[in-house]
Amino acid sequence: MKLHANAQTCPHCRSLIVSRVLSGLPAASVARDFQVSLKTVLKWTARFRTQGRAGFADRSSKPHRIARRHLQPGSELSDAVFALLHTPPRDSGFNRTTWRLDDLHSTLKKHGVLTSRNNLSVVIKKAGYQWRKARVTLTSSDALYREKVDAIKKVLSDLKEDEAFFSIDEFGPFAIRMRGGKALQPPGSIRHVPQWQKSKGSLIVTAALELSRNQIVYFYSDRKNSAETCKLIDQVRRQYKGYRRIYLSWDAAPWHSSKELLSRVEFFNGWAEHDEAPQIEILPLPAQAQFLNVIEAVFSGMARAIIHNSDYASVVEAKTAITRYFEDRNRTFAIAPRRAGRSIWGQERVPAAFAVTNNCKDVRYR
C-alpha cells in the first residue's frame, strides 16, 4: 500500500504500521518493511493501546518521514540504466556529449525508475565499466541511433522461418604467445608470464552468428578488409541456400561499408534467383555501438575459455582449439536449441539476442 510521504502530518501511516503489529505480525518484521526502528514501532503501538488514535498525533516519535523504497541493483535496474546509457544524452535534453551520474538519476526518475545514485554506481561497476576510461564506449554518438536500432528490432520481431539474421565481426588480430589470466594455483605458487615474448604468429577469426538458431559461420583471415567480409558473405549465402532472405548486421568499420562490398552484395542479389540463394539486406549497427553486436559475447566467451591462460605452440594448435570450440558450440545448440551462455562456453556475457540493454563486448576478455 502507498504511504503518505510525511508521517508527522499523516496519522494514517502510523495507524497502518500499528495495525500490522496488532494483526499478529512480528514488530521487527514490520519495522523492516516500513523502514523505521523497532523502538519506534513499539512506542507507537504502546501509545495506541493507552491513548487510541490520539497517540498518533505525538511528534516525538521519529522518523517523521517514511522513505520511498528504491529499486535495488538487479536485472530490472540494470536494463533501465543501460537502455538509457546507450543513447546520447542530448536525446534526454542534456547539452552534453557524455552522461553524468546526476543526469542518469534525474532522467530515470522522470521515467518512473526510483533509485539512488549509489545503486546506479553499483550497476555500472558490476557491468565492468569505469567512468574515467575513454576506451570503454558506453554511448553511441550516431545521430541515427534510434532509427538503426528500431530497424533491427522490427526485423527481429517479425523474422520468418525462411529468413536468418546474422551478427558479424572479426576477432583479432591476436598474437600466439603465453597469455595470463585467472586460474587455480597451488599454495605458494604464482604463474609468471614474461612481459616480452616472441610471437609464434597471429590470427584473425572472421565470423557470423545466426541469432535465431545460434550457429556460428567462420573462417580464418589474413587481414581485415572488404574482400574478407565478401568471402564470409559468400560462405553464409551458400550455407543458407534455400532461404528467402538473410540480414547482415555489423559495426561501422570502414570495410563494412566500402564500395567494393556494396557492389558485391548487389551482384549477389542480382544472381540470387539463378543461384537459388537468399536475398541479402544490410542492417548496420549505430556507430560506436559494439556493445550491441551480439557476436562480441561469443568472442568474449571463447577468449575466456581457450585464449586466456593459453600457451599454444603454434598457430595451427591455436586454430585447432578455436575450431573445436566453435564446432562443439554449434553442435550443442543444434541438438538442444537454447540461449547462449551458462555452459562450456565460459559463460558468454549475454544471451544471443539483440537488446538495447546488452553489453556484449567484455573489455576484460578481448
Side-chain angles (χ1 to χ4, degrees), residues 84-103:
L84 178 61
L85 200 56
H86 289 161
T87 64
R90 64 173 175 269
D91 286 3
S92 298
F94 297 102
N95 187 27
R96 295 183 57 82
T97 57
T98 57
W99 282 103
R100 298 180 304 176
L101 198 62
D102 287 345
D103 298 337

Side-chain angles (χ1 to χ4, degrees), residues 82-184:
F82 283 101
L84 178 61
L85 200 56
H86 289 161
T87 64
R90 64 173 175 269
D91 286 3
S92 298
F94 297 102
N95 187 27
R96 295 183 57 82
T97 57
T98 57
W99 282 103
R100 298 180 304 176
L101 198 62
D102 287 345
D103 298 337
L104 287 171
H105 184 261
S106 61
T107 305
L108 288 171
K109 186 176 181 180
K110 288 179 183 177
H111 293 167
V113 180
L114 300 179
T115 190
S116 66
R117 290 171 179 79
N118 182 65
N119 288 341
L120 294 180
S121 296
V122 170
V123 167
I124 294 171
K125 290 180 180 179
K126 188 176 181 181
Y129 291 95
Q130 297 181 15
W131 292 100
R132 60 184 179 182
K133 290 192 176 180
R135 60 177 179 161
V136 179
T137 304
L138 289 175
T139 302
S140 170
S141 60
D142 197 324
L144 300 177
Y145 177 89
R146 292 190 182 279
E147 289 83 347
K148 291 180 179 179
V149 169
D150 289 344
I152 293 173
K153 290 171 66 177
K154 184 177 186 303
V155 167
L156 287 173
S157 65
D158 194 33
L159 202 65
K160 305 296 190 300
E161 286 295 323
D162 58 352
E163 296 177 337
F165 188 101
F166 293 88
S167 172
I168 295 174
D169 203 3
E170 301 84 14
F171 181 84
F174 65 97
I176 307 303
R177 54 181 175 80
M178 182 184 292
R179 293 186 171 272
K182 290 184 178 180
L184 288 174

